[in-house]
Amino acid sequence: MNTFDEQVCEHQVQWRHAAGLPTNEHGLYNGEPYPWILPPQFWEYGLWPGIRSGSECSLPNYLRDERIQRHTGSNNLKSSWVACANLYFPFRHSQAGLELLAGFLQRHVSSAVQTVDAVELEYAELGDCAPSQLLGEAGGSRGSGQTSPDVAFLVNGGRGLILTESKYSEHSFYSCSAKTHACPRRPSTKSSTSLPRPTTRA
């Protein structure tokens, strides 16, 4: 039986052939062409049409306005970053979408989730909770050179935060490459509460 990664490769190549994209050119990875990789200038064709440029919920506009660096492999049809954006970013565009997402998180993550107020990609706090302060990662930005959760759900009127790492076909999670030195732990000036740990179902 093929591995999941091999199944994804096959599926994405079939999708590309059926989608009628404007190019058959293969993109490169480490100098080698692969049929599931698009040329860099065609990366948006891997996005759901509802979040491409020109849509009401444009991901490229969001990245520009929030100064977020998209992942360099976003032209790869196996990109976890693109899969995450396709799956979660559309929910931020409507109240109905946020309510649907809140119901899912309440059921599968924590019963304490009452509302989802915002969905943010490559999330990072400012001030005392910035990656430079918490993790000693100086000089980075959202999406590049610092630890940024793939997607964050701001819940319960801003009183809760669910940070999520998204993987598609990678074989594992990877070590963070941005932290280069120890950063003294700073006492928090804010009181906080955490959501109960989710239960694991067999």
Side-chain angles (χ1 to χ4, degrees):
M1 178 180 293
N2 291 343
T3 66
F4 178 69
D5 181 67
E6 291 169 336
Q7 293 177 48
V8 170
C9 290
E10 181 179 352
H11 172 79
Q12 295 294 21
V13 171
Q14 291 175 351
W15 175 85
R16 180 177 181 176
H17 289 160
L21 302 187
T23 179
N24 292 320
E25 181 184 353
H26 295 173
L28 304 179
Y29 177 73
N30 288 337
E32 296 294 328
Y34 293 93
W36 55 84
I37 301 179
L38 304 174
Q41 67 271 29
F42 292 101
W43 76 274
E44 280 196 50
Y45 284 97
L47 297 178
W48 178 59
I51 61 174
R52 293 176 188 168
S53 293
S55 65
E56 293 184 6
C57 189
S58 168
L59 175 63
N61 286 355
Y62 169 80
L63 299 178
R64 180 199 64 214
D65 295 344
E66 298 296 327
R67 299 181 180 180
I68 298 172
Q69 176 63 52
R70 64 180 170 88
H71 285 200
T72 55
S74 56
N75 57 314
N76 189 330
L77 295 177
K78 298 196 303 173
S79 167
S80 291
W81 187 85
V82 170
C84 177
N86 283 336
L87 182 60
Y88 295 114
F89 191 74
F91 285 100
R92 64 178 274 122
H93 185 60
S94 70
Q95 186 59 37
L98 293 173
E99 290 174 359
L100 182 64
L101 189 55
F104 174 83
L105 294 174
Q106 183 183 69
R107 181 175 180 181
H108 295 285
V109 176
S110 172
S111 60
V113 175
Q114 299 299 316
T115 64
V116 172
D117 310 295
V119 178
E120 301 289 346
L121 302 182
E122 297 294 337
Y123 184 79
E125 287 275 1
L126 301 175
D128 287 345
C129 292
S132 60
Q133 299 299 310
L134 291 179
L135 304 173
E137 298 174 347
S141 61
R142 290 174 67 179
S144 177
Q146 71 178 30
T147 300
S148 304
D150 290 328
V151 61
F153 307 106
L154 284 74
V155 303
N156 298 352
R159 298 188 303 276
L161 181 63
I162 300 174
L163 304 177
T164 306
E165 185 72 9
S166 176
K167 295 298 180 186
Y168 186 17
S169 63
E170 294 92 334
H171 58 79
S172 67
F173 289 88
Y174 300 97
S175 300
C176 177
S177 59
K179 188 179 188 309
T180 57
H181 63 278
C183 182
R185 189 175 182 86
R186 301 180 61 177
S188 174
T189 58
K190 302 178 182 179
S191 61
S192 62
T193 57
S194 60
L195 297 175
R197 292 175 61 88
T199 57
T200 301
R201 298 180 180 178

